[in-house]
Amino acid sequence: MDAVRGNGIWKTTDGGASWNQLTSTTSSTFYNVQKIVVSSNGNVYAATRDGGLRRSTDGGTTWTQVLSGRAADLEIAADGTLFATIGIFSSGGIYSSSDGTIWNLIYDSATDEERIEIACAPSNSNRLYAMVQDASTAGLKKIMQSTNKGVTWTSVTK
């Protein structure tokens, strides 16, 4: 969805029968929203290409940047741990947070690595997978897995 400019974030309160644009997302910061997730405490997180990782604690009325850079992906593990990636057309890395406020870099991408897509195993909160883009070819550079929430990573045959 990042190849087409969007028009902010839209919200429904009636199961999808009608939608309203969040007025807080009409700026260029929210033109390219890569992913949206909602944590168990109701906080909304938006990975944006031009505004980093944003968090709303009031249903989208206001937003705070919690990670800078071009946010590419965002996932919530079964235990509630948040994982985000930074790096679209630039190197970045993978970050984790247990509270959505303090973020720790768990994978620092090399200069020849760009966008990273992540997945959390639904049955095991410790298991993560990551696909890393090669900066020079824009193709897949490598697939990695972690069995300890990103403390260590091993290569998976592609």
Side-chain angles (χ1 to χ4, degrees), residues 86-132:
I86 300 294
I88 298 176
F89 305 120
S90 64
S91 61
I94 303 172
Y95 294 81
S96 71
S97 178
S98 60
D99 63 4
T101 302
I102 299 170
W103 291 83
N104 299 301
L105 181 66
I106 59 172
Y107 177 77
D108 192 5
S109 61
T111 56
D112 64 341
E113 298 174 346
E114 291 184 339
R115 184 179 188 136
I116 301 171
E117 294 290 321
I118 55 174
C120 301
S123 60
N124 183 344
S125 297
N126 293 312
R127 186 174 294 275
L128 305 171
Y129 297 93
M131 293 189 325
V132 181

Side-chain angles (χ1 to χ4, degrees), residues 1-157:
M1 307 280 299
D2 65 329
V4 177
R5 183 189 132 181
N7 196 20
I9 297 175
W10 294 67
K11 180 178 180 177
T12 182
T13 57
D14 58 11
S18 64
W19 293 82
N20 295 303
Q21 184 180 25
L22 296 174
T23 56
S24 61
T25 67
T26 59
S27 72
S28 61
T29 297
F30 293 93
Y31 283 171
N32 296 94
V33 177
Q34 308 303 109
K35 184 132 184 204
I36 301 169
V37 300
V38 180
S39 65
S40 61
N41 65 2
N43 289 342
V44 182
Y45 296 86
T48 70
R49 187 180 75 183
D50 298 316
L53 181 62
R54 300 282 172 151
R55 178 185 67 224
S56 176
T57 59
D58 56 14
T61 301
T62 61
W63 297 85
T64 303
Q65 185 183 63
V66 293
L67 277 176
S68 61
R70 293 175 158 225
D73 199 9
L74 181 58
E75 298 291 338
I76 301 177
D79 68 354
T81 303
L82 294 154
F83 295 95
T85 66
I86 300 294
I88 298 176
F89 305 120
S90 64
S91 61
I94 303 172
Y95 294 81
S96 71
S97 178
S98 60
D99 63 4
T101 302
I102 299 170
W103 291 83
N104 299 301
L105 181 66
I106 59 172
Y107 177 77
D108 192 5
S109 61
T111 56
D112 64 341
E113 298 174 346
E114 291 184 339
R115 184 179 188 136
I116 301 171
E117 294 290 321
I118 55 174
C120 301
S123 60
N124 183 344
S125 297
N126 293 312
R127 186 174 294 275
L128 305 171
Y129 297 93
M131 293 189 325
V132 181
Q133 179 181 353
D134 187 301
S136 61
T137 67
L140 179 64
K141 179 176 181 182
K142 63 183 173 183
I143 301 171
M144 307 181 303
Q145 72 172 338
S146 174
T147 57
N148 54 14
K149 287 191 177 179
V151 174
T152 59
W153 293 91
T154 56
S155 230
V156 177
T157 304

